[in-house]
Amino acid sequence: MKGGLLVAGTTSDAGKSVVTAGICRWLVRQGVKVAPFKAQNMSLNSFVTREGAEIGRAQAMQAQACRIEPTAHMNPVLLKPGGDQSSQVVLLGRPVGEMSARGYHGGRQQRLLGTVLDSLAELRASYDAVICEGAGSPAEINLRRTDIVNMGIARGARLPVLVVGDIDRGGVFASFFGTVALLAREDQELVAGFLVNKFRGDVSLLEPGLDMLHGLTGRRTYGVLPFRHGLGIDEEDGLRVSLRGAVRESEVAAPVGEDVLRVAVCAVPLMSNFTDVDALAAEPGVVVRFVDRPEELADADLVVVPGTRGTVRALAWLRERGLAEALVRRAAEGRPVLGICGGFQLLGEHIEDDVESRAGHVDGLGLLPVRVRFAREKTLTRPRGEALGERVEGYEIHHGVAEVLAGEPFLDGCRVGQTWGTHWHGSLESDAFRRAFLREVAATAGRRFVPAPGTSFAALREEQLDRLGDLIEQHADTDALWRLIESGAPPGLPFIPPGAPA
């Protein structure tokens, strides 16, 4: 095989990331050397590659589905929102500045098309197949002129397009038809067909509609994927955390000890890398929930203050809602608090920020003896170390530089009593360290909770990716999908009026 495919969607969250990962895992099990690609990703959920490049976590997990190391070429443009109107632009893994939405779509985006196509060409030269993921919908006609992630990349690289629709939301037939009918003739020629996602019930009841859709558009449906709980990989944004969702929505294993352990995660604004708590939720007997009110901290055995793209803004939010006062009281009582990245920074004594918020000097919560200064250069590393007698790996993505003045060292941060702070994302994925940390939290909380000895977070991820591969293998027309990837869109696909507006 030598080819490629663009997985587009009728909407955001239609299942593009999941389908892309599933196709990747199916192909690699067939012996195909395959890589994922997303030209432009808007996400606060990012990852650091081994060469120190920042990309979307979804692409990192898709690379894992391919059983390869992620690289910057798999996500050449990453947009990290800093508010409703602006984002940090990360190009080939490095930040190049802040830009408003108008400024980006007004010209900068189109100028990046060459960089995007070069990255895709690099991958296509190295792999048998490249499975690309679109963003939003290809029929966003207001953005088509500057598009570099949907039909722009499909047309530039002559990729066949598979459109995914979430039938669980309703209106999937109209969405499929409307998506094609709002594309220009040249774009429609690349749209090969459809894939239905999250179907519940008897597929035979759906088939008359699929036949009518084929009659209306001249395009076939390549598969109907059934609804399955807990199949999301790392989300771009929102509060749906992949393995947390799996634990909540499927049968939860009983705790090994007599008690459960309750974890409250402060849902701060511009939350980043909320997947840090996935590994906690994967533990039998650990209940994870996101909270935004101080009374919701009362029964928590552990409170996590997660990363954020707006440390100063998150600090103000905590104070406005009374959560800051609750955290200070909790720390004074010796009850566990864990701050990660931005959450670690705001637990310190003060912050000097002339970069992210440009707020200058801001007092922190004063729970840790740490002073933070924001640097223009971003720290992007994959550190390794030891804590609680166990080996730990993680990754760092931050502008804030922490000066630790006292306390006990903890993963390049520090701890004072039961208040812990670190810049390391992903540390809780280290199984032995996670179990040691949870044992200490349980002992402090007086809970008879015992971590399950055999929980492997890496194995759970692999199992999840295999389930995605199974979904494609069992419910998609894989022979037709193979031909599509290898040979491109079928010739002679009909034009569906009215097409894109002039």
Side-chain angles (χ1 to χ4, degrees):
M1 172 183 280
K2 196 72 176 177
L5 175 70
L6 175 70
V7 179
T10 57
T11 62
S12 295
D13 203 33
K16 298 182 292 292
S17 296
V18 166
V19 169
T20 300
I23 292 174
C24 286
R25 180 49 63 102
W26 161 65
L27 284 173
V28 82
R29 293 197 305 209
Q30 311 309 307
V32 177
K33 189 180 178 186
V34 58
F37 178 80
K38 185 163 185 173
Q40 172 195 294
N41 201 345
M42 178 172 278
S43 179
L44 290 171
N45 202 17
S46 58
F47 183 75
V48 180
T49 68
R50 292 209 180 276
E51 67 269 26
E54 185 180 8
I55 66 172
R57 270 195 71 102
Q59 280 61 64
M61 290 303 101
Q62 289 163 354
Q64 186 176 343
C66 298
R67 299 186 176 131
I68 58 176
E69 276 292 323
T71 72
H73 288 302
M74 296 174 186
N75 179 206
V77 180
L78 173 64
L79 304 179
K80 302 195 74 176
D84 293 336
Q85 298 294 326
S86 67
S87 294
Q88 183 180 67
V89 181
V90 179
L91 181 61
L92 290 173
R94 295 289 173 181
V96 295
E98 296 280 335
M99 187 165 289
S100 69
R102 181 178 292 276
Y104 184 69
H105 291 289
R108 178 65 184 269
Q109 184 181 32
Q110 185 63 24
R111 292 195 296 273
L112 293 174
L113 181 59
T115 301
V116 163
L117 288 171
D118 287 347
S119 287
L120 178 56
E122 178 91 12
L123 292 175
R124 296 187 82 175
S126 304
Y127 293 90
D128 300 329
V130 179
I131 308 303
C132 308
E133 179 187 342
S137 163
E140 290 167 351
I141 54 180
N142 56 315
L143 302 177
R144 177 61 185 92
R145 182 179 61 84
T146 57
D147 169 50
I148 64 169
V149 65
N150 290 307
M151 300 313 300
I153 194 74
R155 201 191 294 192
R158 302 306 300 170
L159 292 170
V161 178
L162 183 69
V163 180
V164 178
D166 179 356
I167 197 169
D168 197 49
R169 293 183 172 191
V172 74
F173 293 114
S175 298
F176 282 145
F177 182 87
T179 297
V180 178
L182 282 175
L183 298 179
R185 184 182 298 272
E186 294 83 359
D187 290 342
Q188 287 194 24
E189 289 172 355
L190 297 172
V191 178
F194 313 108
L195 188 136
V196 176
N197 191 30
K198 296 184 182 178
F199 179 72
R200 305 174 191 251
D202 185 345
V203 176
S204 66
L205 299 176
L206 190 65
E207 287 171 351
L210 300 178
D211 293 339
M212 285 186 273
L213 182 67
H214 184 272
L216 287 166
T217 66
R219 290 159 175 84
R220 58 167 299 166
T221 297
Y222 283 77
V224 178
L225 307 185
F227 188 98
R228 292 286 188 269
H229 287 295
L231 282 183
I233 64 172
D234 290 2
E235 303 281 353
E236 289 186 350
D237 280 308
L239 290 182
R240 287 177 305 278
V241 180
S242 55
L243 289 177
R244 180 177 68 89
V247 169
R248 279 191 168 184
E249 295 171 357
S250 59
E251 186 176 342
V252 180
V256 175
E258 296 178 45
D259 288 344
V260 299
L261 209 61
R262 294 172 176 82
V263 179
V265 184
C266 297
V268 296
L270 299 175
M271 192 189 313
S272 62
N273 290 75
F274 47 82
T275 44
D276 283 332
V277 299
D278 271 10
L280 294 177
E283 283 283 350
V286 176
V287 180
V288 177
R289 67 184 188 274
F290 288 85
V291 304
D292 60 4
R293 294 161 31 137
E295 54 268 30
E296 293 178 292
L297 304 187
D299 68 342
D301 302 307
L302 169 67
V303 173
V304 178
V305 187
T308 170
R309 171 86 162 83
T311 301
V312 171
R313 178 175 168 182
L315 186 55
W317 181 87
L318 290 169
R319 286 179 167 136
E320 289 165 4
R321 290 179 171 259
L323 284 159
E325 184 180 344
L327 287 169
V328 171
R329 186 167 57 249
R330 184 182 179 88
E333 295 168 353
R335 303 177 67 199
V337 175
L338 171 64
I340 302 174
C341 199
F344 163 44
Q345 294 166 8
L346 61 80
L347 294 181
E349 294 174 357
H350 73 250
I351 298 165
E352 289 289 340
D353 182 10
D354 296 317
V355 176
E356 190 175 79
S357 68
R358 297 182 176 86
H361 179 94
V362 178
D363 289 333
L365 297 185
L367 304 185
L368 291 173
V370 173
R371 295 172 183 169
V372 176
R373 176 186 54 82
F374 274 71
R376 297 200 175 277
E377 198 69 26
K378 183 183 280 192
T379 298
L380 296 167
T381 63
R382 292 271 292 270
R384 296 183 177 186
E386 185 175 305
L388 300 178
E390 303 292 351
R391 298 293 297 169
V392 188
E393 295 184 16
Y395 58 100
E396 295 185 52
I397 307 169
H398 54 91
H399 284 281
V401 178
E403 179 188 4
V404 179
L405 304 174
E408 182 182 338
F410 174 67
L411 301 179
D412 292 344
C414 69
R415 65 175 289 193
V416 174
Q418 288 300 315
T419 301
W420 315 63
T422 177
H423 273 132
W424 291 23
H425 295 291
S427 62
L428 294 165
E429 296 178 20
S430 298
D431 297 325
F433 164 70
R434 181 181 65 253
R435 287 192 278 269
F437 178 69
L438 290 176
R439 279 194 293 269
E440 179 149 345
V441 168
T444 302
R447 298 286 186 190
R448 290 169 294 187
F449 168 85
V450 179
T455 302
S456 166
F457 188 74
L460 285 172
R461 281 219 182 275
E462 276 298 302
E463 179 184 318
Q464 188 182 38
L465 292 168
D466 276 332
R467 290 175 66 202
L468 293 177
D470 293 344
L471 206 64
I472 296 298
E473 191 167 328
Q474 296 167 11
H475 300 282
D477 186 338
T478 51
D479 289 339
L481 201 54
W482 186 286
R483 289 193 298 271
L484 183 62
I485 295 167
E486 195 170 40
S487 304
L493 292 169
F495 172 71
I496 308 300

